[in-house]
Amino acid sequence: MGTIGKAVRTAVCGTALMLVALPGISAAAEQGGAKGMHEGHDHSAHGGNSMDMGEKIFSGKAGPWTAEARLIDMKAQMEKSGVSAATAAKFAGKRHLMLFVTDPATGKPAAGVAGKVVVTGPDKASSSTVTLVVMGDHIGADVGMPTAGKYTFNAEIESGAKKGSATFSYTLK
C-alpha cells in the first residue's frame, strides 16, 4: 500500500508541476513552437523565468547524447503557484530533477530514453536510487534533498542499444 501511495503522490506532484509550468510553455509556443523549446535548452528565453524550468545544474555529454540537468525546488514552486502555506510545506526538502537528453546530430530530444539516477547526500553514507520517468520533453523524478550540503547525482541513461552516464553535483544551501 505504501508503494502505491508513493506512486500516486509522485504522479500528483508531477502533474502539479506541469500545471505550474503551463504559462511558460504557452508563452514558448507563441514564441516559436515546440522547436524553440529544445534549442540550446535555454528555457528561460522561452517565456518563463529560470525558476519555471528550474536551476541548471549540469550541461554536457551522457554517452552518445548531450544532456542538461535542471533542479526545481518543489516547495518554492508551490508557493509561487499560490497554494496554501500548509500545502507548500508538504514539499519541503523535495526537488524535481529534470534531465533533457538530446541527439547531437539532430538537436532533437532523444527518442525512447529511460534511466535511473543514484543520489548521494552530504553525509555520503546515505544514497537513494530513483527511476527517471518520461515527462514530455525530459525524463525526471522527484528526489529528496532534506539537508544542506553537496549532493552527487550519477545518472545512467539508455535507449535501445545505446547507453550513457553522467555524474554531476549540486550544493544545497
Side-chain angles (χ1 to χ4, degrees), residues 99 112-117 130-134 139-140 155-158:
L99 193 59
V113 292
K116 65 180 179 179
V117 65
V130 293
T131 300
L132 297 169
V133 178
V134 175
I139 52 178
E156 300 288 331
I157 305 161
E158 61 182 67

Side-chain angles (χ1 to χ4, degrees), residues 5 22 29 38 56 65 109 122 141:
L22 279 177
H38 305 292
K56 186 190 316 186
W65 306 285

Side-chain angles (χ1 to χ4, degrees), residues 26-172:
S26 297
E30 290 173 12
Q31 292 181 8
K35 181 180 176 194
M37 288 292 289
H38 305 292
E39 291 178 324
H41 291 300
D42 181 11
H43 300 288
S44 63
H46 300 293
N49 64 33
S50 60
M51 180 68 168
D52 291 337
M53 293 304 288
E55 181 180 349
K56 186 190 316 186
I57 62 171
F58 172 77
S59 183
K61 295 291 283 178
W65 306 285
T66 54
E68 179 178 297
R70 291 183 164 269
L71 199 59
I72 294 176
D73 179 336
M74 293 171 63
K75 181 177 180 253
Q77 194 73 4
M78 290 292 116
E79 288 170 345
K80 183 179 173 188
S81 72
V83 300
S84 71
T87 300
K90 293 177 184 178
F91 293 94
K94 297 279 186 193
R95 302 293 189 277
H96 182 71
L97 175 67
M98 300 186 302
L99 193 59
F100 295 88
V101 182
T102 306
D103 179 341
T106 64
K108 294 182 180 182
V113 292
K116 65 180 179 179
V117 65
V118 176
V119 182
T120 305
D123 62 2
K124 304 222 186 315
S126 64
S127 67
S128 61
T129 302
V130 293
T131 300
L132 297 169
V133 178
V134 175
M135 299 180 164
D137 61 351
H138 73 277
I139 52 178
D142 294 342
V143 295
M145 298 173 67
T147 59
K150 183 178 179 181
Y151 287 82
T152 302
F153 299 83
N154 186 359
E156 300 288 331
I157 305 161
E158 61 182 67
S159 174
K162 297 179 183 178
K163 292 186 178 188
S165 64
T167 300
F168 46 94
S169 58
Y170 177 77
T171 301
L172 181 64

